[in-house]
Every structure is written in C-alpha cells, then in structure tokens.
C-alpha cells in the first residue's frame, strides 16, 4: 500500500482565493511527522510546513496551514490568498518515528496553477 | 555559500560514459540522502548516509554508486546508465538520524540527468 496518497494530479485556483491540496497517509506508527514541500519549475524542493503526530493544534506558517485529521489520516495543505508565485508542484511527505526514521515517504504530487 | 548545493545542474551522458554528481551541504547536518525523481512518479529514495556510513540502500542498481567522504559531501558515481535513468536527482540533508520525526530535509536544486 502507498504510504502517501495525493489524489489531485492538478489543480487550478484563482489568484487571491484559498485552495486545499489533499493528502492521506498510511502508517501504524504512533510517532510520525508530516511535511509539505513546494517544488517550482526550477526543481528545488522547498519545505513549507510540518505537523507532528502528537501535535494537538493544526500547524500554520504564514499563508500555509495544515488541516490535520488524525482519525482520517489526512493532512491537507491549505493555501490562503493564492499568489501567482504559488504555481508549482506540491508534495506531501511523511517520516515515521522509531524504526524507519531514515525514510521520507513522498506522494506523487499535485500541480497547482494559480490563474490571474 | 549556504544550504545544499548540487553540481552539475544539468548533465547529458551516453550509456558508456562515467560521470559523478556532487552534493555539498553547509548546514552542519549529519545525514545526507539521494533521491531520484522521474516524471509522474513519487520521489524514490536511493541512499541514506548518516555520519558517512550508508544506512539505507533501496535496491538501487549497481550502476549507481554513492560515496560519502565526510558529512558535508555526497557523491553519486554513474556508469553504464540506461535511458530510463534519465531523471532529476535530488540531494538532501537533515540534522541527524534520530527517533525524533520532526526533522525536515533540506534539498538541493537537483541535477537534471539525460542519458542518451
């Protein structure tokens, strides 16, 4: 089974509107971390936001927030007030604690296009 | 220079060539990673090094040979590659291997490899 599933290969959003990028994960570990990365066309992966499995509050970083629903095993990224520079690939990732802490599992990504 | 750097940024090589990719991190991190990113596929973890010791090898073909001479440098030696090896190769580093899943990875800009 896939560890990280991103079901939206591509998304469009109007500039200044909010958009939600979906991510579900699969783990039996109690301790894990969830990450979102942005990859512009230039190729580098840019860390956006982190959510720990024991964090009770949803993580926020500026215009980025993570809608963490532990029982559903989902960690959706919400981008508020979209900007043209937000157009990029977005990857959800998970790092499991204890035994597999070497590995990051990445989803297949969502390509976000922000329209002017 | 700061962050994670990779050279070259672009590489075209024939199937009989031997080349090396270089990654350098200036963050004082102890763990370094090689990933392969092919079109429309999730990132594939290839190798993980912790304090110059290889701790992960994800069944990567022997035509890819990693080398980690110190905690700041990571190489990927390439020989007799196949056209299907054409991809973006990303290097990453993280503070240390530990059971704490909060550590994120910092990525380099990648090397775009084309095998002809």
């Amino acid at each position: 089974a896939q560890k990280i599933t991103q079901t939206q290969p591509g998304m469009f959003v109007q500039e200044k509107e909010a958009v939600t990028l979906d991510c579900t994960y699969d783990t039996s570990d109690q301790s894990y971390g969830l990450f979102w990365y942005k990859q512009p066309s230039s190729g580098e992966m840019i860390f956006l936001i982190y959510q720990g499995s024991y964090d009770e509050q949803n993580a926020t970083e500026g215009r980025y927030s993570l809608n963490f629903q532990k029982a559903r095993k989902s960690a959706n990224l919400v981008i508020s007030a979209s900007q043209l520079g937000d157009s990029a690939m977005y990857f959800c990732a998970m790092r499991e604690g204890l035994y597999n802490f070497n590995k990051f599992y990445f989803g297949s990504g969502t390509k976000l296009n922000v329209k002017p | 220079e700061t962050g994670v750097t990779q050279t070259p940024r672009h590489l075209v090589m024939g199937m009989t060539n031997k080349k090396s990719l270089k990654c350098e991190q200036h963050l004082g991190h102890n763990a370094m990673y090689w990933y392969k990113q092919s079109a429309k596929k999730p990132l594939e973890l290839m190798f993980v090094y912790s304090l110059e010791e290889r701790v992960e090898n994800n069944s990567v073909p022997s035509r890819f040979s990693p080398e980690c001479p110190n905690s700041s440098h990571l190489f990927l030696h390439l020989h007799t590659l196949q056209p299907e090896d054409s991809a973006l190769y990303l290097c990453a580093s993280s503070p240390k291997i530990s059971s704490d899943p909060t550590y994120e990875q910092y990525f380099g800009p990648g090397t775009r490899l084309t095998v002809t």
Side-chain angles (χ1 to χ4, degrees), chain B residues 21-100:
Chain B
L21 310 185
K22 179 182 176 182
C23 175
E24 187 172 357
Q25 58 97 359
H26 309 271
L27 301 167
H29 290 170
N30 291 332
M32 297 187 76
Y33 309 74
W34 277 118
Y35 286 90
K36 175 184 178 183
Q37 186 179 26
S38 306
K40 300 181 181 178
K41 291 176 70 175
L43 264 71
E44 301 172 61
L45 179 65
M46 300 175 73
F47 302 104
V48 181
Y49 275 83
S50 172
L51 296 171
E52 299 118 54
E53 180 183 346
R54 191 188 311 179
V55 296
E56 192 78 30
N57 178 345
N58 266 2
S59 303
V60 179
S62 59
R63 56 186 184 268
F64 295 92
S65 174
E67 179 190 0
C68 187
N70 55 63
S71 59
S72 299
H73 294 86
L74 185 65
F75 295 89
L76 188 62
H77 303 300
L78 316 171
H79 64 97
T80 59
L81 294 191
Q82 305 298 311
E84 60 264 28
D85 297 323
S86 298
L88 180 69
Y89 288 84
L90 289 163
C91 173
S93 70
S94 65
K96 61 181 177 179
I97 297 290
S98 79
S99 59
D100 179 352

Side-chain angles (χ1 to χ4, degrees), chain A residues 37 44-45 106, chain B residues 4 35 43 90-93 105-109:
Chain A
Y37 287 85
E44 76 271 27
M45 299 279 276
F106 283 83
Chain B
V4 182
Y35 286 90
L43 264 71
L90 289 163
C91 173
S93 70
Q105 290 183 326
Y106 295 79
F107 283 83

Side-chain angles (χ1 to χ4, degrees), chain A residues 37 39 50 95 101 103, chain B residues 37 56 97-98 102-103 105:
Chain A
Y37 287 85
Q39 187 180 39
Y50 162 80
R95 186 178 192 180
F101 45 79
K103 290 186 179 182
Chain B
Q37 186 179 26
E56 192 78 30
I97 297 290
S98 79
T102 67
Y103 289 113
Q105 290 183 326

